[in-house]
Amino acid sequence: MNAHTGSTVEFSDVSKSYGKQRVLHGFDLTVGPGELVSLLGPSGCGKTTALRVLAGLEDATSGAVLVNGADVSRQPTNKRDIGMVFQSYSLFPHLSAVRNVMFGLAMRRMRAREAESRALAMLELVGLGAHAERYPHQLSGGQQQRVALARALVTEPRVLLLDEPLSALDAKVREQLREEIRRIQLRLGITTVFVTHDQEEALAISDRVAVMNAGGIEQIGSPEQLYTRPATPFVARFVGQSNRVRGVARGGMVDLYGHQVPLLEHADAAGTVEVLVRPEDIELSSAGIPAVVLASSFLGSMRRTSVRLGDGTVLVVQHSVGQNPQPGESLGIGWSGRAVARSSTTETAYMRQ
Amino acid sequence: MTGAVRERPPALAPGAVGSRVIVWMIGLLFAIPLVSMAEFTLRDGDGGHSLVHWFALFDPANRASYSPIWIGLGNSLVLCIGAAAIVLLLVLPTMVLIALRFPRLRRPFEFLCLLPISIPAIVLVVGLAPVYLVIGRTIGTGIWPLSLAYGITVLPYAYRAIQANIDAVDIATLAEAARSLGAGWGTVLLRVLAPNLRTGILASLLIAVAVVLGEFTIASLLNRPNLQTALFVVNKQDPYVAVILSLLALGFAFALLLVIDRTASIGVRRGTRPPTSAEKVTP
Ligand SMILES: Nc1ncnc2c1ncn2[C@@H]1O[C@H](COP(=O)(O)OP(=O)(O)OP(=O)(O)O)[C@@H](O)[C@H]1O
Ligand SMILES: [Mg+2]
């Protein structure tokens, strides 16, 4: 089963308005052949809208959508050769799982016998071979989304669109299914756009992540790039956890509570700035900046503790489970990391080991 | 869309005995007039009971006096088909279109559809009379144009039945899923939406048939003979036969409803039956 390898998708300056409300503006994105790109952003930022424009379920107000270099803006949805998995359960309730999967093949006028064997093979691939004759109401949520995935994939579409396919599932099933999606996507080499508002999910399975904010893309890059070199404060706050700390910048360094920490941006930052520090880049120590423990939670492989500094600033610190601070305890914190500079921002300090 | 099927009846539901009492009481309520009618048709002239009136119905000698009934029945069937066609071909696609494309029109359309229920048939006729005068001159005085008027009287009931079903099914997502899989609009309507709106469509058809078979005022005032006006005419000559025919009409409507229900469930092979507890998913 080999899908078309090498479809590219391109949004070219796409805008979309509902009446006066601008939901997308200047949206540019290119997805390479076989690549999985996630659209990550807070609720209401336009992720679903972008996907629907690509699917042809909404018309863009301006701009173009290109698949393999050809403008598909005028093509109706049923001619675009896409596979889509929706946020809500969308299986046809009156058809069994295998007939749901066969639907797209029937639309392509494939003979019933061949369609059925392909559908069964695809159900096998998503791990539901034994449930082919079940109706949607006889399947659990996760199983339904697997069938939906099989249904979207079986036609070997040029592009696979996933709109928060896992959001209705519980954490364990989610994690398992997202890995399966990634495995199948890599195996079929199908160009995929994955919408999510869960940053962990986006970082875990994507080749690249596009962080969206208010209808535009804030930054696009590999998960590592986004985490280690966020281009804007929004990205730094949205991807991973971070603490906001005030400091005084001078000459490429920022003074945080009397300790010099290198800034991401060397150039002309001067005066009071707010910087963002990851929880794992702060250490607990007996010396250092005095702090009082507010709360501490055990997260399995690590522990996260919130502390209050003398001036009332609250910081979240991530540390090993060996240390076990008690609420009310007085201790010290220190900045552990080496700062990494980033040219496009003047206020984000970000420190890595 | 997983059918959250309730296993146990809610706590306030009456117990086994209570339910039976209620069913029997309601059954009795419906049975009394039916049994009385049947008893009436079995009375012979001198206080005893016999089938004499039933045999009279099929007596060739009486054919002339009963013929209005058969004409009326034929006309009513034509009207049923007409009204059903209006519901299926006009109301249903419009409602789907509004649900999918023009959700803002829903309220105005609902108002429009429910309007006929607040207009008494007599008032409706006052408005329809001049229209049918023109229709009579141009298209002819055949019975079928009357189905347009019946389409209007049926509208509120059909609307409610279909809309309840549309609200219960996420038709927008189903339509979009089908479209993304390559289905054109016709396929979406026939192969995806219709099977899932089956209950509502059926209910609306049943109601349409029931309303049309029972309609008297409009037909009478517009001088178009249908089943009810014919029964009225015959009743004046022979009340026994009128009651027999009423009973038969009732049985006929019942049979028709059964047939519609059967055919529709054959149309959808292995359709959306409710899950039995054995088939239910263990989470
Ligand atoms: N049909 C519509 N009419 C008017 N406004 C709409 C419509 N669809 C979406 N919007 C608006 O567009 C904005 C973006 O919606 P969209 O569904 O793309 O958000 P999203 O990023 O997918 O959010 P979520 O994570 O909650 O799904 C929202 O503010 C929403 O209110
Ligand atoms: Mg969304």
Side-chain angles (χ1 to χ4, degrees), chain B residues 67-244:
Chain B
S67 69
I69 299 279
W70 306 118
I71 296 171
L73 183 61
N75 286 347
S76 278
L77 289 184
V78 170
L79 292 172
C80 281
I81 294 171
I86 289 175
V87 169
L88 274 185
L89 304 179
L90 203 61
V91 181
L92 177 67
T94 311
M95 291 180 69
V96 168
L97 194 68
I98 285 176
L100 292 181
R101 278 302 173 87
F102 308 104
R104 257 189 262 162
L105 289 181
R106 185 183 155 164
R107 292 289 155 208
F109 187 71
E110 180 173 14
F111 177 74
L112 200 69
C113 284
L114 296 186
L115 207 54
I117 213 171
S118 61
I119 303 176
I122 301 237
V123 179
L124 209 56
V125 169
V126 173
L128 287 173
V131 177
Y132 275 93
L133 206 62
V134 176
I135 289 181
R137 282 205 204 106
T138 50
I139 307 178
T141 50
I143 192 68
W144 68 265
L146 197 59
S147 53
L148 299 177
Y150 281 3
I152 292 174
T153 48
V154 160
L155 202 55
Y157 311 104
Y159 176 86
R160 282 310 321 154
I162 298 174
Q163 189 63 44
N165 202 166
I166 287 182
D167 290 340
V169 178
D170 187 358
I171 66 167
T173 306
L174 292 185
E176 286 177 358
R179 301 261 305 144
S180 76
L181 290 166
W185 280 114
T187 315
V188 170
L189 207 56
L190 288 180
R191 290 187 54 181
V192 175
L193 296 185
N196 287 298
L197 296 178
R198 195 181 114 231
T199 334
I201 294 172
L202 268 185
S204 69
L205 287 185
L206 299 190
I207 292 174
V209 168
V211 168
V212 172
L213 284 184
E215 212 290 327
F216 173 78
T217 320
I218 295 177
S220 167
L221 293 178
L222 290 178
N223 270 327
R224 305 290 204 281
N226 74 357
L227 181 63
Q228 296 299 326
T229 61
L231 284 177
F232 183 72
V233 169
V234 172
N235 188 25
K236 284 196 221 151
Q237 320 162 352
D238 185 345
Y240 292 106
V241 157
V243 174
I244 290 178

Side-chain angles (χ1 to χ4, degrees), chain A residues 18 21 23 41-50 58 87 164 195 197:
Chain A
Y18 289 111
Q21 190 193 3
V23 177
S43 190
C45 70
K47 306 180 296 287
T48 298
T49 306
E58 304 281 355
Q87 183 166 359
E164 306 199 30
V195 164
H197 62 248

Side-chain angles (χ1 to χ4, degrees), chain A residues 293-351:
Chain A
V293 175
L294 295 176
S296 180
S297 46
F298 176 65
L299 299 173
S301 56
M302 56 177 168
R303 199 172 251 291
R304 225 171 246 161
T305 300
S306 52
V307 299
R308 190 196 283 125
L309 303 185
D311 64 353
T313 308
V314 175
L315 298 179
V316 177
V317 183
Q318 184 175 311
H319 54 88
S320 75
V321 289
Q323 294 165 296
N324 186 10
Q326 297 302 314
E329 191 181 326
S330 292
L331 38 66
I333 61 157
W335 317 114
S336 72
R338 181 174 56 84
V340 179
R342 185 54 223 196
S343 60
S344 67
T345 173
T346 54
E347 62 162 331
T348 308
Y350 182 63
M351 298 170 292

Side-chain angles (χ1 to χ4, degrees), chain A residues 35-326:
Chain A
E35 193 180 26
L36 192 158
V37 170
S38 289
L39 299 181
L40 173 66
S43 190
C45 70
K47 306 180 296 287
T48 298
T49 306
L51 211 59
R52 291 172 60 84
V53 168
L54 173 52
L57 297 170
E58 304 281 355
D59 288 327
T61 310
S62 68
V65 176
L66 297 92
V67 176
N68 287 335
D71 189 348
V72 295
S73 305
R74 295 272 140 260
Q75 256 178 9
T77 302
N78 52 333
K79 300 270 189 282
R80 287 200 188 184
D81 191 18
I82 49 164
M84 190 157 179
V85 178
F86 294 81
Q87 183 166 359
S88 50
Y89 298 131
S90 62
L91 294 184
F92 306 130
H94 65 295
L95 299 176
S96 62
V98 62
R99 289 189 176 271
N100 261 284
V101 180
M102 284 165 67
F103 187 90
L105 297 174
M107 292 302 111
R108 285 160 180 75
R109 311 206 175 286
M110 184 182 285
R111 284 203 327 277
R113 183 174 292 248
E114 191 188 346
E116 183 159 12
S117 70
R118 281 228 220 164
L120 287 173
M122 192 48 84
L123 280 174
E124 204 69 54
L125 187 67
V126 298
L128 283 180
H131 294 20
E133 291 305 324
R134 293 223 182 159
Y135 283 84
H137 65 252
Q138 299 166 331
L139 296 168
S140 72
Q143 290 169 336
Q144 288 191 46
Q145 288 303 65
R146 280 164 202 255
V147 177
L149 185 65
R151 184 178 70 175
L153 285 171
V154 78
T155 58
E156 300 181 359
R158 294 190 291 181
V159 189
L160 177 64
L161 307 179
L162 305 167
D163 187 2
E164 306 199 30
L166 311 175
S167 63
L169 310 175
D170 66 66
K172 207 170 154 82
V173 180
R174 255 175 112 112
E175 204 166 311
Q176 185 191 352
L177 199 47
R178 83 178 179 216
E179 262 145 42
E180 242 163 280
I181 288 178
R182 177 58 161 166
R183 180 174 59 80
I184 295 170
Q185 184 266 338
L186 284 175
R187 177 160 157 200
L188 302 180
I190 191 165
T191 308
T192 303
V193 183
F194 185 100
V195 164
T196 179
H197 62 248
D198 180 341
Q199 46 113 355
E200 187 194 324
E201 199 165 280
L203 297 182
I205 72 167
S206 317
D207 291 309
R208 285 188 302 153
V209 179
V211 180
M212 288 183 67
N213 184 20
I217 291 183
E218 287 267 328
Q219 186 181 2
I220 178 159
S222 71
E224 293 82 5
Q225 276 171 344
L226 288 183
Y227 195 78
T228 57
R229 296 180 165 263
T232 65
F234 176 83
V235 176
R237 279 196 299 270
F238 198 76
V239 178
Q241 278 209 339
S242 47
N243 296 295
R244 292 151 160 265
V245 185
R246 285 195 162 277
V248 180
R250 184 159 33 79
M253 302 293 277
V254 62
D255 181 277
L256 300 177
Y257 297 95
H259 297 259
Q260 293 291 313
V261 174
L263 264 177
L264 268 172
E265 152 67 15
H266 279 279
D268 42 0
T272 309
V273 292
E274 190 172 65
V275 298
L276 297 154
V277 187
R278 298 279 189 211
E280 64 267 31
D281 291 334
I282 308 177
E283 292 170 343
L284 296 181
S285 57
S286 42
I289 306 155
V292 178
V293 175
L294 295 176
S296 180
S297 46
F298 176 65
L299 299 173
S301 56
M302 56 177 168
R303 199 172 251 291
R304 225 171 246 161
T305 300
S306 52
V307 299
R308 190 196 283 125
L309 303 185
D311 64 353
T313 308
V314 175
L315 298 179
V316 177
V317 183
Q318 184 175 311
H319 54 88
S320 75
V321 289
Q323 294 165 296
N324 186 10
Q326 297 302 314

Side-chain angles (χ1 to χ4, degrees), chain B residues 39-53 240:
Chain B
E39 193 271 338
F40 179 69
T41 64
L42 295 177
R43 284 183 201 168
D44 51 20
D46 36 285
H49 287 94
S50 73
L51 283 172
V52 55
H53 299 297
Y240 292 106

